[in-house]
Amino acid sequence: MTCDIVALVRNQPDVHTVIDGMLAFGQDLRPRELDGGVTHLYDPGGRLLVSIEAPVFVQVPGEVERMLGSDLSGRLGTPVWWVDVRACADVPEAARMARRFADDLVRWLGGLVWDAEEGS
């Protein structure tokens, strides 16, 4: 099972710039871009830590609340960019790294982070 996190950001995200920032600040990661805009982050030993899906532009009012629950009602309008971030469950540091990526993305672009474990 994975740890699922969603970054909902106000401006079009540049996933690679955020990853470059994480690397510049000392995170020991090996990024690899796959077909379809998916990016994987590996640890130095080659273990997959995080999968970052291509950002999706959500323009339909109420769609975010429909997908993630009414707790988000009024906290974030549309349009927004939706970025799925999934951490591998069998690697202890993966969830921390996924949350760090999502938090950094929101810090730079505005928005919020929804975490499946927290429900917010």
Side-chain angles (χ1 to χ4, degrees):
M1 185 171 190
T2 61
C3 169
D4 297 324
I5 297 173
V6 177
L8 299 163
V9 295
R10 299 186 189 285
N11 298 305
Q12 185 172 7
D14 184 343
V15 169
H16 302 289
T17 298
V18 174
I19 293 169
D20 288 346
M22 292 173 72
L23 295 171
F25 282 98
Q27 297 296 317
D28 199 4
L29 301 169
R30 307 293 184 264
R32 183 178 310 151
E33 188 168 351
L34 307 175
D35 290 337
V38 175
T39 301
H40 283 172
L41 301 178
Y42 295 88
D43 71 8
R47 290 184 304 172
L48 177 62
L49 298 175
V50 177
S51 177
I52 304 163
E53 301 294 319
V56 175
F57 192 50
V58 178
Q59 300 180 66
V60 177
E63 187 67 2
V64 171
E65 288 82 1
R66 186 185 73 78
M67 298 290 289
L68 300 179
S70 62
D71 292 346
L72 297 176
S73 182
R75 291 177 55 196
L76 189 70
T78 48
V80 296
W81 287 89
W82 175 300
V83 183
D84 280 314
V85 184
R86 292 187 177 86
C88 294
D90 59 341
V91 182
E93 65 270 19
R96 181 186 61 79
M97 196 60 56
R99 183 63 190 227
R100 168 79 187 270
F101 172 83
D103 286 343
D104 285 354
L105 195 59
V106 167
R107 185 176 303 112
W108 289 107
L109 299 173
L112 59 87
V113 174
W114 181 89
D115 188 324
E117 291 182 9
E118 297 173 11
S120 63

